[in-house]
Amino acid sequence: MSTLLHLDASARRRSISRELSAEFAAAWRTENPDGGYRYRDLATHPVPFIGEAWTELCDAVLACGGFDPAELGALVQTPAQAEALDVLRPLLDEVLAADVILIGTPMYNYSIPAVLKAWLDQLTFPRMSLGHRRFVVVSARGGSYTPGAPKAAFDYQERYLRDFFAGHFAVTDTVFVHAELANSRQDPALADRRAEHDDSYAKAVETARSLAARY
């Protein structure tokens, strides 16, 4: 039985990235009626930033020569470290139990929201591998960052996440689905590009649905 972990990171309750992640999740659950499903809203219930006790646990993992989630508890030596483990354990358990991790996120300032970065920081330890797990990122971007676009070089959202999952989790087949030019819905300067956005959004919805059917 396959399990989907579904995350949203947008500060907007009604956002394009949330719409896209909902499309994927609905299609996936239709295709996997007996599958497991877990949802976490990182914006509504933000994950705390890591603190010194977390770094001490990280150092202990390094000293052991590798990461074993079952051994994290044995590395705890202080009450502060125990509290840090209490925060990260459910986050880590959700990821380890999942086969597919779906992330709905906007692009903020060319990158990702702080709430998503905090989640990544909490559950990432040296020499981890998430093996067979697959990541899907569905996103909304205010401008256009497609290849050849003037701002394509400033896309630190996809580049960062793709490199992160490959470098920390040994997952190299992350799939990205983007809705471009979302700001054309509000910005008069982009009003003449609204049709491009509508087309990009429609294609993103279609891609999310078809991708979910394959996963």
Side-chain angles (χ1 to χ4, degrees), residues 48-94:
F49 293 130
I50 59 172
E52 185 175 20
W54 183 97
T55 68
E56 293 167 353
L57 289 176
C58 185
D59 289 344
V61 170
L62 274 174
C64 289
F67 175 73
D68 183 347
E71 297 299 321
L72 275 177
L75 300 178
V76 170
Q77 299 192 8
T78 69
Q81 291 174 10
E83 291 179 8
L85 182 59
D86 286 343
V87 171
L88 73 91
R89 174 63 78 184
L91 307 176
L92 184 60
D93 287 347
E94 286 175 352

Side-chain angles (χ1 to χ4, degrees), residues 67 95 101 120 123-135 160-174:
F67 175 73
V95 168
I101 296 102
L120 290 169
L123 60 86
T124 304
F125 285 89
R127 302 185 180 94
M128 286 182 70
S129 174
L130 292 182
H132 70 277
R133 295 166 188 84
R134 308 182 77 176
F135 283 81
Y160 171 75
L161 290 173
R162 188 180 296 280
D163 290 348
F164 190 100
F165 298 144
H168 283 292
F169 298 155
V171 175
T172 59
D173 62 346
T174 300

